[in-house]
Amino acid sequence: MATKEPIITLSAGPVAAYPAVMRALSRPIGYDYDRHFLEFYEAVNRKVTQALRSSSPALILHFEPAPGLEAAAASLIGPDDVVLNLASGVYGKGFGYWSARYNKELVEIEVPYNEAIDPAQVEAAFKKRPDIKVVSVVHHDTPSGTMNPVKEIGQIVRKHNALMLVDAVSSWGGMDIHPEESCADIFVTGPGKCLGGAPGLTIMAVNDRAWKHMEANPKAPRASVLSLLDWKDAWRQDKPFPFTPSVAEVNGLDGAIDLYLAEGPETVWKRHALTAKACRAGIKAMGLSLWAAREEIASPTCTAVRVPDGLKDDDILAAARSLYGVVFSSGRGETKGKLIRIGHMGLVAEPIYAVVAVTAFGGALKKLGRKVDVGAGVTAATAVIDQARA
């Protein structure tokens, strides 16, 4: 017998899509070189550029952000480049493996995966290795639910005339982070997280510094799915696509961006933050521990909860799903088995879902024989919500 679909997905992504996005995805699939689609594609790109608050046209790649990040590494990093990779989690560490395929040398700062990179560490790295040319960093390392101070790091990188590549896949759209104010030269994100869209596209902001470096890179791919240069001008209706774009996904992106801009980014960020704050209050009131070493580095788009001693993450996830129809996410790689992630992104970045999360998490623990005061958790979560709305 097939497994039933969950009732509520509170995962760290992909996330539930807004109904308006689902409607947009159901629009007719048009011919990519029809004049209507060419005009539409440029219009969508302009809206994405506006949402990114970028002075350079947005770049849309037609696959989800993991290959998008690999494409950024392949295109930007040349055989003469020394790369500083900042690893505070599974995804940050993973970017270093891509980087190693292309760079001259990889220098790495790694911290425990419940911690964040200290900007002073980056400054010290430049003092020791002034030849560093590219710095790679994940803003919100989703498998840990923790954030790095990208804006402060970006100022240091720019001061040393290096290039910075930022993975903002699970943070942009859910908090105040943008490419230019963070001094990112390549800023990678997508619609499948905080925008509440489908997960099949990569969105990038690429500035002139990065384009010039790629154009001078003799190993930058061309006529390849990993090429950023091939797509540089494809946003313009008078330029060809390197290969067929994902028409349905562009329709969905249009729906997601329209929602984001219509609601207002600041309003969207506020409800993400409130949902996370309420959820964490409830989790702590039940006597559970957050994974992040300090709450100030915990992301407003994902709450990572340490798995209680004596329990298994898979058992908690299964109990929450079977009892409440609620899906959470496990850890990844080094954090697998150590934490459970509750997503606050897009459609479910609403305070009521914090109450749902606390109820399902606490109820699952009770089912597994753990003494948990679920009522105290719900009371704490609702108190945060009521206070914010007073």
Side-chain angles (χ1 to χ4, degrees):
M1 183 177 178
T3 303
K4 293 182 180 179
E5 289 187 18
I7 298 172
I8 299 173
T9 299
L10 301 180
S11 73
V15 304
Y18 290 103
V21 172
M22 299 302 294
R23 289 193 296 271
L25 286 166
S26 70
R27 295 173 190 167
I29 303 296
Y31 172 48
D32 58 335
Y33 279 100
D34 180 74
R35 176 52 52 190
H36 168 77
F37 182 78
L38 293 170
E39 293 172 356
F40 171 71
Y41 191 89
E42 180 173 321
V44 172
N45 197 289
R46 290 184 184 278
K47 286 188 283 190
V48 174
T49 301
Q50 177 187 347
L52 286 167
R53 301 184 178 181
S54 173
S55 57
S56 302
L59 187 70
I60 300 173
L61 298 180
H62 296 267
F63 37 64
E64 68 102 8
L69 286 160
E70 184 176 0
S75 296
L76 183 68
I77 299 169
D80 295 326
D81 291 335
V82 175
V83 176
L84 173 63
N85 187 52
L86 307 180
S88 61
V90 173
Y91 289 166
K93 185 70 173 180
F95 188 86
Y97 303 137
W98 283 325
S99 175
R101 298 176 187 172
Y102 310 108
N103 62 45
K104 176 183 179 181
E105 182 182 353
L106 180 69
V107 179
E108 193 162 73
I109 297 172
E110 186 171 8
V111 298
Y113 288 0
N114 64 340
E115 276 289 356
I117 300 293
D118 185 340
Q121 295 175 287
V122 180
E123 184 67 69
F126 273 105
K127 185 175 182 180
K128 185 177 180 180
R129 294 295 304 268
D131 56 340
I132 291 170
K133 188 58 185 177
V134 177
V135 176
S136 50
V137 60
V138 179
H139 182 219
H140 168 213
D141 209 303
T142 326
S144 301
T146 52
M147 296 186 299
N148 286 308
V150 165
K151 294 179 183 179
E152 293 83 354
I153 292 170
Q155 292 174 359
I156 294 168
V157 174
R158 186 63 58 86
K159 180 179 73 173
H160 289 279
N161 198 33
L163 298 162
M164 187 168 76
L165 192 158
V166 175
D167 172 347
V169 174
S170 59
S171 58
W172 179 75
M175 62 187 88
D176 185 10
I177 184 71
H178 298 89
E180 293 184 4
E181 66 184 23
S182 58
C183 298
D185 297 287
I186 297 184
F187 184 92
V188 184
T189 187
K193 301 276 190 174
C194 301
L195 284 187
L201 297 176
T202 298
I203 296 169
M204 290 191 194
V206 182
N207 65 18
D208 286 342
R209 298 173 79 241
W211 284 126
K212 289 177 181 177
H213 193 75
M214 283 186 273
E215 288 163 355
N217 177 9
K219 297 293 186 178
R222 288 283 201 169
S224 165
V225 72
L226 295 178
S227 176
L228 301 193
L229 290 167
D230 287 356
W231 284 89
K232 180 180 180 181
D233 296 319
W235 65 275
R236 292 173 44 178
Q237 58 184 282
D238 61 340
K239 297 293 183 179
F241 298 115
F243 55 80
T244 303
S246 302
V247 176
E249 296 280 353
V250 176
N251 289 338
L253 174 59
D254 182 54
I257 286 291
D258 281 349
L259 285 175
Y260 181 70
L261 295 174
E263 183 177 356
E266 287 78 8
T267 302
V268 176
W269 308 335
K270 185 176 180 180
R271 61 178 171 83
H272 278 76
L274 176 57
T275 304
K277 183 178 180 181
C279 183
R280 287 171 195 154
I283 290 294
K284 292 187 294 183
M286 292 191 296
L288 304 173
S289 300
L290 301 179
W291 174 258
R294 303 175 304 286
E295 195 161 351
E296 59 264 30
I297 66 171
S299 169
T301 64
C302 178
T303 293
V305 184
R306 192 176 294 272
V307 173
D309 291 341
L311 294 180
K312 296 181 179 179
D313 61 336
D314 288 342
D315 293 339
I316 299 171
L317 294 170
R321 196 184 197 286
S322 64
L323 290 172
Y324 300 95
V326 172
V327 171
F328 300 127
S329 291
S330 64
R332 289 276 185 98
E334 290 297 315
T335 65
K336 179 72 174 77
K338 300 175 182 178
L339 58 83
I340 288 175
R341 297 174 292 159
I342 304 169
H344 320 297
M345 301 183 200
L347 178 66
V348 298
E350 294 284 358
I352 187 59
Y353 288 106
V355 178
V356 172
V358 169
T359 301
F361 205 112
L365 295 179
K366 289 188 71 174
K367 174 70 174 178
L368 296 171
R370 190 58 56 101
K371 291 184 179 180
V372 177
D373 190 344
V374 180
V378 171
T379 298
T382 54
V384 170
I385 298 166
D386 291 343
Q387 183 179 16
R389 290 176 171 173

